[in-house]
Amino acid sequence: MSQTQENIDSQNEEETPETTAPAMTTVERAEMLLKQDAAIRARINDGATLDEAVDPSNKEFGPLAHPEQVQMRVAKRAMMLKDGMQPYPVHLDVTDTIEAVRAKYDGKLEPGQETEDVVGIAGRVLFLRNAGGLCFVQLSAGDGTKIQGMISKKEIGADSIKQFKQLVDLGDHLYLRGRVISSKTGELSVFATEWAIASKALQPLPALHKDLNEDTRTRKPYIGMIADEKIRNMVRNRSKAVASLRRTFDDHDFIEVETPMLQTVHGGAAARPFTTHMNAFDLDLYLRIAPELFLKRCLVGGIDRVFEINRDFRNEGVDATHAPEFTMVEAYQAYGTYDTIGALVKELVQKTAMDVYGSHKVTLLDGTEYDFGGEWKQISMYDSLSEALGEEIVPNGGPDNPGTSVEHLGAIADKLGVERDDVENHGKLVEHLWEHFYEDKLYEPTFVRDFPVETSPLVKGHRNKPGVVEKWDLYVRGFELATGYSELNDPVVQRERFVAQAKDAMAGDEEACDIDEDFLEALGVGMPPAGGMGMGIDRLLIALTGATIRETITFPLVKPLALN
């Protein structure tokens, strides 16, 4: 049976069962599908044709069984086994890649020109046209490079071409061996003397000339990689970005380490953690929200420049820039400050843009350009907030210099309609007010510097400004990309900060961190002055591409669908 582009659409339409699907457990459904597979194979072994082997109405197995298209492919698998053909062979004589054949012959053959060069290639079938004694197939490599295959009755014989037409479907991985030629229309082709199915696809592909819907892209990212060049490029560019970061760190003599994902005390960031339980120790544990406290232990141990590219987990909301599981890079440099670490982050981002896209100017998904080059703007949080409000907002410098009161800041927030937390302090209100005016409006790369001490328990106090810490957040295109600090290394002050956080936690702040006595003991051994930074890898890809966070994560977490 021939397949053309016109009937691909109908082939890929979802079949809607006429009856309501019964409730069924995962195991029950899996066993039912195995029984259906066995029934189809039994009918094939008894001499049934492909059409006779399938049950379009699913009378025997019901609406949760294989749809007709899948049944047909299961029947073809059974027919291959019956005829002694392997639908999933261990080895095929693949001697060349589609990419290599393209690179060697593209543009070098005239229409109708043939060579005596024999190649063995394999790829996924994306198009089929069966025209009598000559069949055409388009094979795609993993990176999307395509080549045409030509299967001729005169070359391979009547029986073989009959099997080809009967057994090969869109989505199959197909092996071809033959001469490299140019078709009469000038299409680079492999004129096959031999073919074999390398892997039989039992599930049909979607219509490849239509955009995938959001649900398919997130639930079945492997389909997106096949169908959408943008999704393939995202996976490859993410890998390039991570490789670029590692090269830049290596150029600056940083050492990469690995720190625990399971932790007895959650800390290193203000975030609500995931919890789990370790049976062997009968111990409740937290999934890591940040590697900071362990990386700082490395500084104590004498590893003066250290970084980690890690998976972090935060039990919080999901939106265009937040995901519960994400990738972060953190780095710490002994005898650095938030100024030196800021220069490092600028270099990391600019070199990544250059290594991935060849320029500091990148083209976003909406077609606009964004420039990471040149010098980056710097503003003060307190100065910029004072300017927006038209009055001076003073940091909380302690009992003798309390700064702008919580009551006054709360009144301003209420007047502006700014959402307030259940557990409030001066620093939280300052940050909420600042975000109200600026957070989504800082388009060009901008370092926002000098934060309230209350919201930054792991950061060293500013050398000149009481009540402020040496911290910056880097904003790009209206969202926070990275953060950097002059790291707190005074164990006494660190204990004070931890106690304040613990009290906030007891008052109901789910993002406040616990007191980590083991870390305080490590600080007591002596940690050198240091600069530190953290940057989301997913957010870096958002900044470079204009995508959402789900589009940058290869396998985003999605809520499972029920079986009924």
Side-chain angles (χ1 to χ4, degrees), residues 204-222:
L205 294 178
L208 299 181
H209 60 286
K210 294 182 179 179
D211 290 337
L212 295 179
N213 61 45
E214 178 68 19
D215 193 63
T216 300
R217 284 200 304 269
T218 53
R219 293 188 180 280
K220 302 176 182 179
Y222 47 89

Side-chain angles (χ1 to χ4, degrees), residues 108-395:
K108 298 177 182 177
L109 300 179
E110 297 295 328
Q113 184 178 349
E114 300 186 4
T115 76
E116 295 303 316
D117 301 337
V118 176
V119 297
I121 61 169
R124 187 182 292 275
V125 177
L126 297 187
F127 178 77
L128 273 172
R129 181 161 62 89
N130 296 330
L134 184 62
C135 299
F136 296 89
V137 60
Q138 184 187 70
L139 300 186
S140 176
D143 70 350
T145 304
K146 300 174 179 61
I147 197 168
Q148 179 172 270
M150 299 172 65
I151 297 91
S152 168
K153 178 180 177 180
K154 292 182 179 179
E155 189 71 30
I156 65 172
D159 291 340
S160 183
I161 200 167
K162 179 181 178 182
Q163 283 185 319
F164 181 90
K165 292 179 180 180
Q166 188 177 49
L167 299 176
V168 176
D169 288 302
L170 296 176
D172 291 350
H173 286 269
L174 186 69
Y175 166 77
L176 295 180
R177 182 173 180 80
R179 292 180 295 113
V180 178
I181 69 168
S182 177
S183 71
K184 293 179 180 179
T185 60
E187 183 69 31
L188 183 65
S189 307
V190 173
F191 193 73
T193 56
E194 179 184 344
W195 69 271
I197 290 178
S199 179
K200 182 67 190 170
L202 300 185
Q203 296 288 337
L205 294 178
L208 299 181
H209 60 286
K210 294 182 179 179
D211 290 337
L212 295 179
N213 61 45
E214 178 68 19
D215 193 63
T216 300
R217 284 200 304 269
T218 53
R219 293 188 180 280
K220 302 176 182 179
Y222 47 89
I223 296 293
M225 296 176 205
I226 296 168
D228 193 334
E229 183 181 15
K230 295 191 296 292
I231 295 176
R232 286 196 301 273
N233 287 342
M234 183 66 75
V235 176
R236 296 176 188 280
N237 288 339
R238 184 186 179 102
S239 178
K240 290 179 183 178
V242 171
S244 174
L245 294 173
R246 285 194 164 102
R247 281 195 298 272
T248 303
F249 279 122
D250 187 59
D251 290 342
H252 289 276
D253 299 322
F254 279 75
I255 292 175
E256 184 173 9
V257 299
E258 295 177 340
T259 62
M261 285 192 184
L262 294 174
Q263 301 181 354
T264 56
V265 179
H266 71 90
R272 183 179 178 180
F274 286 93
T275 58
T276 186
H277 185 81
M278 181 179 177
N279 292 330
F281 291 173
D282 190 22
L283 182 65
D284 289 333
L285 296 170
Y286 300 99
L287 296 184
R288 173 175 62 194
I289 61 174
E292 177 170 344
L293 301 186
F294 286 93
L295 292 176
K296 286 181 174 178
R297 287 171 170 88
C298 291
L299 294 182
V300 173
I303 302 175
D304 286 346
R305 298 189 177 202
V306 63
F307 80 98
E308 181 176 13
I309 296 174
N310 56 77
R311 302 293 283 179
D312 289 334
F313 308 86
R314 299 184 183 179
N315 198 0
E316 299 172 340
V318 177
D319 58 31
T321 58
H322 293 84
E325 178 184 2
F326 60 98
T327 305
M328 174 88 77
V329 56
E330 287 202 19
Y332 296 86
Q333 178 181 348
Y335 303 101
T337 67
Y338 76 150
D339 295 312
T340 57
I341 212 75
L344 175 64
V345 167
K346 180 170 175 281
E347 182 180 345
L348 286 166
V349 173
Q350 289 183 337
K351 283 193 173 180
T352 299
M354 187 64 69
D355 288 344
V356 176
Y357 296 103
S359 172
H360 289 156
K361 287 185 178 181
V362 299
T363 302
L364 305 178
L365 291 178
D366 63 4
T368 61
E369 277 194 345
Y370 188 86
D371 191 358
F372 287 98
E375 293 303 314
W376 290 358
K377 186 177 179 180
Q378 301 193 36
I379 64 174
S380 159
M381 173 167 281
Y382 276 92
D383 290 347
S384 59
L385 178 58
S386 298
E387 181 180 346
L389 289 173
E391 65 173 282
E392 185 179 8
I393 302 299
V394 181

Side-chain angles (χ1 to χ4, degrees), residues 49-161:
T49 65
L50 291 173
D51 289 334
E52 292 168 344
V54 304
D55 176 11
S57 64
N58 262 335
K59 289 181 180 178
E60 181 179 356
F61 292 97
L64 287 180
H66 289 312
E68 183 180 359
Q69 288 184 67
V70 177
Q71 290 185 61
M72 180 62 72
R73 290 166 180 251
V74 170
K76 292 180 181 184
R77 172 187 178 274
M79 186 165 286
M80 291 179 69
L81 292 171
K82 179 183 178 183
D83 293 343
M85 303 169 67
Q86 285 298 321
Y88 308 99
V90 175
H91 173 74
L92 291 163
D93 190 20
V94 178
T95 59
D96 303 86
T97 65
I98 294 174
E99 301 94 322
V101 174
R102 273 279 174 205
K104 184 175 180 180
Y105 295 98
D106 235 354
K108 298 177 182 177
L109 300 179
E110 297 295 328
Q113 184 178 349
E114 300 186 4
T115 76
E116 295 303 316
D117 301 337
V118 176
V119 297
I121 61 169
R124 187 182 292 275
V125 177
L126 297 187
F127 178 77
L128 273 172
R129 181 161 62 89
N130 296 330
L134 184 62
C135 299
F136 296 89
V137 60
Q138 184 187 70
L139 300 186
S140 176
D143 70 350
T145 304
K146 300 174 179 61
I147 197 168
Q148 179 172 270
M150 299 172 65
I151 297 91
S152 168
K153 178 180 177 180
K154 292 182 179 179
E155 189 71 30
I156 65 172
D159 291 340
S160 183
I161 200 167

Side-chain angles (χ1 to χ4, degrees), residues 378-389 393 409 412-413 416 418 426-443 446-452 472-476 478-480:
Q378 301 193 36
I379 64 174
S380 159
M381 173 167 281
Y382 276 92
D383 290 347
S384 59
L385 178 58
S386 298
E387 181 180 346
L389 289 173
I393 302 299
L409 292 169
I412 296 173
L416 294 172
V418 174
H426 169 94
K428 283 192 173 186
L429 284 166
V430 166
E431 289 198 15
H432 287 326
L433 288 169
W434 183 89
E435 290 167 358
H436 172 75
F437 288 105
Y438 290 102
E439 183 176 37
D440 59 353
K441 298 177 180 63
L442 297 178
Y443 188 78
T446 303
F447 287 108
V448 182
R449 293 165 60 91
D450 303 339
F451 279 62
W472 52 254
D473 278 353
L474 172 61
Y475 278 81
V476 170
F479 66 90
E480 180 193 336

